Amino acid sequence: MLRNGIVLVAACWFAIVGISEILSQWFPWTEWIGLVIVAASPLAILVLAGFLISNGATMMRNEGRSLGNLLSLVAGVALLGLPVFAVLLVITLNPVAIGLAALLFFLCSYFGVVFVVFLAYAVAYGRMKHTLKPVAVVILGSQIINGKVPPLLRSRLDKGLEIYQESTPESSPLLIPSGGQGADESRPEGVAMAEYLVAAGAPEHHVVPEARAVNTAQNLTFSAAVAKEQGREGEMVVVTNNYHVLRAALLSRKLGIDAQVVGSPTARYFLPSAFLREFVAILKEHKRLHALMCIPFVALTALLMLAVIQASQ
């Protein structure tokens, strides 16, 4: 549940504040640490923006120029450009422009906090280990290249095999590689994944591919149906890459599927864009909630604009 992320971040914040208060009573000079951190915030933003832009260039070089691969580059440019744009709006002394600058500040602050909550919970959840003996291990698909399993997908398959091999022969789970055929793929992902699993040592009769799903919700729904058809009703483990774990878990819960989701390693350069892509996807899935949360900021902006107009008369 996403609210667990809010609790996690709030607990960390109060812990930091509490420890800071205790240290400041014993060592008064530690109060300067907080001031230094606040003073260094603009520099930290510049460093973060530079990192994101550099990562975006790496993504384009290694993964191509798709919109998803450009997210870290776009985020880095936005971190540099939005403060400058806000200042330009304010110095016009136009009430509408000042109101837009204030709204931009409020919205950026809100979505910044939401992203911190998402990222903290996603990282924490992605490190959790499953605590059950599954009847099936569902491995979520991703794009195959020239009919073969690329490194990103291979990481998921290897993790699924690892979980399978942890079981005893008497309780071996069913392996369900899940993924349909995209427009730019020569065959269904599930079929290519099943071949990899068998070649890696999984018994063929324990591998049943699901080859119709075109998104994560369908991966989960269709794989649960496959498990049921094979007489494997019960708790499942779902395997995906670590950046995708939280959204897959949220969808599992929403769909009423009894599963725990575990993550496999991902190349470090891939993570910034991947986490940003997952964040955007979760925002879209909860767009009404976030639109509702932004209404107070719009109202406050309107009041500020009215105050500026009255002051200028």
Side-chain angles (χ1 to χ4, degrees):
M1 295 180 290
L2 278 178
R3 63 173 175 262
N4 291 342
I6 299 174
V7 174
L8 174 64
V9 172
C12 291
W13 172 255
F14 283 118
I16 292 171
V17 171
I19 292 172
S20 299
E21 284 295 321
I22 293 172
L23 288 176
S24 65
Q25 293 178 9
W26 291 348
F27 310 103
W29 55 268
T30 57
E31 293 181 355
W32 289 97
I33 297 176
L35 294 175
V36 170
I37 292 174
V38 171
S41 295
L43 178 61
I45 292 174
L46 288 175
V47 171
L48 177 60
F51 167 76
L52 290 172
I53 291 171
S54 174
N55 179 257
T58 302
M59 285 292 292
M60 284 193 295
R61 185 169 60 250
N62 293 345
E63 304 291 336
R65 299 190 178 186
S66 68
L67 179 60
N69 294 338
L70 290 174
L71 282 176
S72 59
L73 176 63
V74 171
V77 172
L79 279 176
L80 292 177
L82 288 178
V84 175
F85 179 61
V87 170
L88 292 175
L89 287 175
V90 171
I91 62 178
T92 63
L93 300 181
N94 182 291
V96 175
I98 293 174
L100 288 176
L103 182 60
L104 183 64
F105 172 77
F106 292 142
L107 293 181
C108 287
S109 299
Y110 171 73
F111 286 107
V113 170
V114 172
F115 179 73
V116 169
V117 168
F118 158 76
L119 184 61
Y121 190 32
V123 171
Y125 193 97
R127 291 180 176 273
M128 295 180 184
K129 296 183 179 180
H130 71 92
T131 58
L132 49 83
K133 293 182 179 179
V135 298
V137 177
V138 177
I139 306 167
L140 304 186
S142 64
Q143 186 178 33
I144 57 174
I145 300 174
N146 298 323
K148 301 296 182 182
V149 172
L152 183 75
L153 184 52
R154 191 181 308 140
S155 173
R156 301 183 185 186
L157 292 165
D158 290 342
K159 185 67 176 180
L161 274 172
E162 178 186 320
I163 295 171
Y164 173 84
Q165 292 166 352
E166 290 173 354
S167 64
T168 61
E170 296 78 19
S171 61
S172 294
L174 192 68
L175 285 166
I176 306 177
S178 174
Q181 182 175 347
D184 55 350
E185 295 175 316
S186 59
R187 57 178 178 158
E189 296 164 5
V191 173
M193 294 162 69
E195 287 184 4
Y196 178 90
L197 291 170
V198 173
E204 190 170 355
H205 63 282
H206 280 174
V207 181
V208 181
E210 182 288 306
R212 295 184 298 137
V214 297
N215 56 46
T216 303
Q218 289 186 4
N219 284 137
L220 297 166
T221 302
F222 295 166
S223 296
V226 168
K228 185 175 181 180
E229 290 169 3
Q230 296 293 319
R232 300 294 189 104
E233 293 189 66
E235 297 175 315
M236 301 190 301
V237 167
V238 177
V239 180
T240 186
N241 284 89
N242 49 11
Y243 63 83
H244 188 228
V245 166
L246 179 58
R247 189 158 71 92
L250 291 170
L251 280 171
S252 296
R253 185 174 185 274
K254 181 179 179 180
L255 295 168
I257 295 172
D258 191 3
Q260 290 184 5
V261 185
V262 298
S264 65
T266 307
R268 290 185 179 180
Y269 75 86
F270 197 86
L271 289 175
S273 286
F275 273 118
L276 286 168
R277 187 165 59 244
E278 291 298 300
F279 177 61
V280 171
I282 287 180
L283 287 181
K284 288 175 64 177
E285 290 166 4
H286 299 83
K287 54 182 177 292
R288 291 184 180 178
L289 171 63
H290 293 294
L292 184 64
M293 294 296 290
C294 288
I295 290 176
F297 302 127
V298 175
L300 182 58
T301 299
L303 291 174
L304 288 173
M305 290 173 61
L306 182 60
V308 171
I309 292 172
Q310 289 178 343
S312 62
Q313 291 177 348

